[in-house]
Amino acid sequence: MSETGAEKATGSRSMPDWEKRFRAPRVSLPDWAEDAPGRSLFVSNATGTYELYAWDRETGSQRQVTDRANGTTDGVLSPDGEWIWWFNDKDGDEFGVWMRQPFAGGPDEPAVPGLDASYPAGLALGRDGGPVVVGRSTDEDGTTIHVVPAAAADPVEVYRHRESAGVGDLSHDGTLIAVEHTEHGDAMHSALRVIRPDGSTVAELDDTKGGSVELGLEVLGFAPVAGDTRLLVGHQRRGRWEPMVWDVASGEESDLDLGLPGDVSAEWYPDGSALLVAHGFEARGELFRYDLASRELERIETPAGSVSGATARPDGTVEYMWSSAAEPPVVRSTSGGVVLDPPGMKAPRSVPVEDVWVEGPGGRVHALVQRPAGASGPLPTVFEVHGGPTWHDSDSFAAGPAAWVDHGYAVVRVNYRGSTGYGREWTDALKHRVGLIELEDIAAVREWAVTSGLADPDRLVLAGGSWGGYLTLLGLGTQPEAWAVGLAAVPVADYVTAYHDEMEALKAMDRTLLGGTPEEVPERFAASSPLTYVDRVKAPVYISAGVNDPRCPIRQVDNYVNRLAERGAVHEVYRYDAGHGSLVVDERIKQVSLELDFAARHLPEQRTS
C-alpha cells in the first residue's frame, strides 16, 4: 500500500507512535456566542502551535485567529459573536493585556486601552453595548476589578483588595457582577460578593465563617435569562463540591442534593429551565440533565472515561470533550457523531488504566496504573506526579504517560492528599506540612508497586511537572534511597525564592498552605523546600524550566541547580524560551525526548537472576 501525500509530507509512517500522539491535530471543546450560537471559538495545534480559531457553523468556514511564536489559548467570544477577545502576554509570562479582533477577521486592537498590563483575574462581556468587566492582578495592587460602562468609555475601578479575587460572571442584563474573593486570607476557600457596575454591594455569601472548618464557594454562572437574578453556585457544605441556586435579590438558597457520590459541577441550559450536571468520581466523569421544575435527574449517555468539558446548545443537544487513557480525545455531540474532526494523522491509541487502592497514612490512596500490553513485572516504572496540587489524574488520554508505556515502562499516577476529586477533607489535608504529606502517599503506593511485582525497585523514576516537579525534587531529597532517577519540569526548587518571585495569586496560595510568609513561618518553608535537602540527593536529576515562568520562576531553579553543581551531583538542566510549559508541539516533543533519553542513560540495567 502506497503512502498518501499527507503521510509523505509529515513522515508519519516512520514516526513513532509516541510522537504521533503529540503531533496529531487536536481541538478543544468549542465555545459559542450566546446570542449568535452559529459562531464558535476553539483552540487547535493544527499549525504545530496551539492557537485560537474561529468557526462559522452556518458556512462551515474556519480560520486561524492568533499567530504567535509561543501560542495562544486564552480567548472569549462576545455574546453577539462579533468580537474575539484574546489575552496578549509575552512569551508565556502570563502578564499582558486583552486584545480583540472582529470575528470575520481584521486587525487586532487593544480591548481596554485604559488598563495597563497585568495578570488576568477574570473577564465578563456584556450584551448590546453593555458593560465589560475586567479582573486584574499585580504585585503592586493585589486584585482590582474594572468596569467599562460602554464602548469607548474609560474603565472605572469598582473593586480592590490585597488578597486574591476574580470576576465570576456578569448577569444577562449587565446589572449584576459576581465576584469570588479571599479577603479573609484563605486562598483555598473563596467567598462571594455580588456588586452593581458602580461597585455597590447587592449580596454576600461566605461559608468560611461560623463553622469548625472553612468551606469554599465558586461562581458557576448567572441564569441566562433577562431580569433573572438567580446565580448558580458551587459549595462544599456536605464535604464535596455540589451546586445550588442562590437568588441574589431575595437571598433564597435552593439546595440541589442530587445524590451523587463525587464532586458535582453544573451550568445552565440556555433557556434557564435545566442544568447540565458534570459528575466526577474516582477518576471518571459523566453527565446528567437536571430539570429544575420537576427536580428529575436524567443521565446523558457518554462512554466510560473522562468528560473534560461540556456545553448545552440552544437546541438542547450537548457537546462534550471525551477521552480515556486508551482513547484519544474527541469532541462529541448527543445528536450523534463528532463535532470537530481535524484533518491529518490520528493519534494512536494507548493502553487502559488499572485502578489501584492502597492504604496510606491518611486513608486509602487511589492510583492509576498503565503497563505495556502483555508485559509482566518487575518493570522499570515511572511515578508521574500530577501538578496543582488542587488537581487530580483521571482516566483520560495523556501523551506523556503513553510515551513511557511505548518505551517499556509502567506508569503509576497517584492522587495523593491535596488532590481534588475525593472530597474536601482529602484536598484540605495539605496545609502546613506541604509536600511531605503528598510524598507519604506516593511512598505507600511505591511500596505496593514493588511488593506486587509491578515495579523493579532499582529502576524507579520520580517525575512530574509544576507541583509534580516540586514533589519530584522534594522526594529525591527526602527519600533518596527510593528513586533511581528524577525528572522535574517547571518545578518549585527553592520555596523561599519562589515565593518572592512568583505571581501574586500564588503568593496568596502559599500563605494559605504554609500559614504565613517565609518571614513569618521560616521553619515551615524550610521543611517544605527541596533546596533544604539538596545535599541528600543521590539520583541523577534532570530539570527543565521556562525562562519566563511566573509560577515557578527561573531564579529559584538556578539556585537549586547551582547547589547540585557545587557538590558534583549528576544532573542536567534544560532552559527554554517560554513560561510554565510550552504551547509549541516541537518543543513538547523535544522535552519528552530529553526525559526519555536521560532515563535510558541513567537507569541501571535490569538484574538477571
Side-chain angles (χ1 to χ4, degrees):
M1 184 179 295
S2 62
E3 289 185 327
T4 66
E7 287 168 338
K8 289 179 180 178
T10 61
S12 62
R13 284 293 180 85
S14 58
M15 188 184 301
D17 280 355
W18 75 265
E19 185 174 339
K20 289 180 183 178
R21 295 191 190 98
F22 284 95
R23 292 200 184 279
R26 289 192 181 187
V27 294
S28 67
L29 179 70
D31 189 14
W32 51 275
E34 295 174 29
D35 298 334
R39 294 188 168 188
S40 288
L41 183 69
F42 64 92
V43 176
S44 176
N45 65 341
T47 64
T49 301
Y50 285 85
E51 296 285 3
L52 294 169
Y53 288 77
W55 175 27
D56 188 323
R57 295 179 184 235
E58 295 177 0
T59 66
S61 64
Q62 299 177 8
R63 70 172 186 87
Q64 185 175 339
V65 174
T66 53
D67 185 7
R68 303 194 304 151
N70 281 300
T72 315
T73 58
D74 292 338
V76 179
L77 273 171
S78 62
D80 61 7
E82 293 297 321
W83 292 95
I84 297 168
W85 288 51
W86 61 273
F87 192 73
N88 183 26
D89 65 348
K90 182 180 179 182
D91 297 328
D93 67 0
E94 302 182 44
F95 194 84
V97 298
W98 286 99
M99 304 292 288
R100 69 175 193 169
Q101 180 184 129
F103 182 85
D108 295 308
E109 64 183 37
V112 188
L115 294 180
D116 294 332
S118 68
Y119 297 110
L123 175 71
L125 306 181
R127 290 174 162 76
D128 302 324
V132 167
V133 188
V134 182
R136 303 171 66 252
S137 174
T138 66
D139 292 343
E140 297 78 16
D141 298 329
T143 303
T144 58
I145 294 176
H146 304 258
V147 172
V148 184
D154 293 329
V156 178
E157 183 180 302
V158 297
Y159 178 91
R160 174 183 290 260
H161 202 277
R162 185 72 249 167
E163 297 291 347
S164 296
V167 178
D169 197 18
L170 178 67
S171 64
H172 188 278
D173 59 9
T175 62
L176 300 170
I177 302 165
V179 177
E180 294 182 2
H181 71 83
T182 60
E183 295 173 7
H184 49 284
D186 182 348
M188 293 182 69
H189 303 99
S190 294
L192 305 184
R193 179 175 300 141
V194 177
I195 62 176
R196 299 180 183 90
D198 64 4
S200 60
T201 298
V202 175
E204 302 257 12
L205 194 62
D206 189 348
D207 280 5
T208 67
K209 300 175 181 178
S212 58
V213 296
E214 292 188 334
L215 305 175
L217 298 167
E218 63 177 346
V219 173
L220 300 178
F222 277 107
V225 180
D228 198 325
T229 56
R230 292 176 300 166
L231 180 64
L232 191 61
V233 171
H235 70 89
Q236 296 179 300
R237 295 173 182 176
R238 280 184 287 266
R240 61 189 187 279
W241 284 108
E242 297 176 276
M244 71 174 182
V245 177
W246 176 35
D247 188 322
V248 303
S250 69
E252 180 185 3
E253 298 176 15
S254 299
D255 185 29
L256 306 175
D257 187 356
L258 305 181
L260 299 172
D263 283 342
V264 180
S265 185
E267 67 172 52
W268 299 93
Y269 271 76
D271 63 0
S273 67
L275 301 178
L276 176 59
V277 173
H279 175 229
F281 184 60
E282 297 184 350
R284 273 83 181 178
E286 56 185 345
L287 298 174
F288 297 84
R289 183 184 186 277
Y290 180 74
D291 187 282
L292 289 164
S294 67
R295 303 182 73 87
E296 293 181 356
L297 186 68
E298 178 185 2
R299 191 177 189 280
I300 297 171
E301 291 301 320
T302 59
S306 292
V307 177
S308 57
T311 182
R313 296 277 295 167
D315 63 0
T317 61
V318 173
E319 295 177 353
Y320 59 96
M321 175 69 79
W322 174 89
S323 73
S324 70
E327 298 289 344
V330 60
V331 181
R332 298 178 180 269
S333 171
T334 54
S335 64
V338 174
V339 176
L340 275 176
D341 187 15
M345 77 172 84
K346 304 302 179 187
R349 298 178 74 256
S350 186
V351 297
V353 294
E354 308 165 29
D355 293 271
V356 172
W357 293 86
V358 176
E359 288 297 331
R364 291 203 314 157
V365 184
H366 189 196
L368 302 174
V369 178
Q370 291 173 277
R371 67 183 87 201
S376 59
L379 298 168
T381 300
V382 177
F383 275 69
E384 184 77 33
V385 185
H386 72 73
T390 50
W391 190 253
H392 67 272
D393 280 314
S394 61
D395 182 10
S396 59
F397 196 78
W404 289 107
V405 172
D406 284 0
H407 285 79
Y409 295 81
V411 176
V412 178
R413 292 180 284 170
V414 181
N415 285 329
Y416 49 75
R417 278 172 290 169
S419 303
T420 55
Y422 299 86
R424 181 195 57 77
E425 289 186 4
W426 192 258
T427 302
D428 288 357
L430 197 55
K431 288 185 179 180
H432 297 176
R433 294 184 59 248
V434 174
L436 305 174
I437 289 173
E438 303 97 295
L439 287 168
E440 290 174 353
D441 292 343
I442 292 169
V445 178
R446 178 197 178 278
E447 179 67 16
W448 166 85
V450 171
T451 58
S452 70
L454 170 71
D456 183 337
D458 296 324
R459 296 191 295 161
L460 291 174
V461 179
L462 187 59
S466 190
W467 197 264
Y470 158 64
L471 292 177
T472 294
L473 296 183
L474 189 63
L476 295 178
T478 60
Q479 303 169 354
E481 305 298 334
W483 309 104
V485 166
L487 308 170
V490 291
V492 173
D494 169 3
Y495 217 141
V496 173
T497 302
Y499 175 86
H500 289 300
D501 289 358
E502 68 194 4
M503 58 201 303
E504 186 60 35
L506 293 184
K507 285 187 173 72
M509 177 61 76
D510 284 336
R511 290 194 297 271
T512 295
L513 289 174
L514 290 158
T517 67
E519 292 71 32
E520 293 166 339
V521 287
E523 71 288 348
R524 289 179 184 167
F525 274 83
S528 294
S529 179
L531 188 64
T532 300
Y533 311 97
V534 65
D535 291 338
R536 303 182 192 175
V537 173
K538 296 182 178 181
V541 187
Y542 169 85
I543 299 173
S544 61
V547 298
N548 306 313
D549 191 344
R551 298 173 181 268
C552 299
I554 194 67
R555 184 167 72 104
Q556 52 94 29
V557 172
D558 289 340
N559 291 346
Y560 186 90
V561 170
N562 290 340
R563 286 282 296 275
L564 288 174
E566 288 171 5
R567 53 183 287 256
V570 178
H571 72 284
E572 293 178 14
V573 59
Y574 172 64
R575 300 173 180 85
Y576 56 94
D577 187 18
H580 198 61
S582 176
L583 299 175
V584 179
V585 172
D586 281 342
E587 179 61 42
R588 292 185 176 188
I589 291 170
K590 179 179 181 180
Q591 291 179 28
V592 173
S593 297
L594 290 171
E595 291 186 351
L596 289 164
D597 176 69
F598 188 87
R601 286 187 286 115
H602 292 288
L603 280 179
E605 295 291 330
Q606 182 176 13
R607 292 182 182 180
T608 57
S609 55

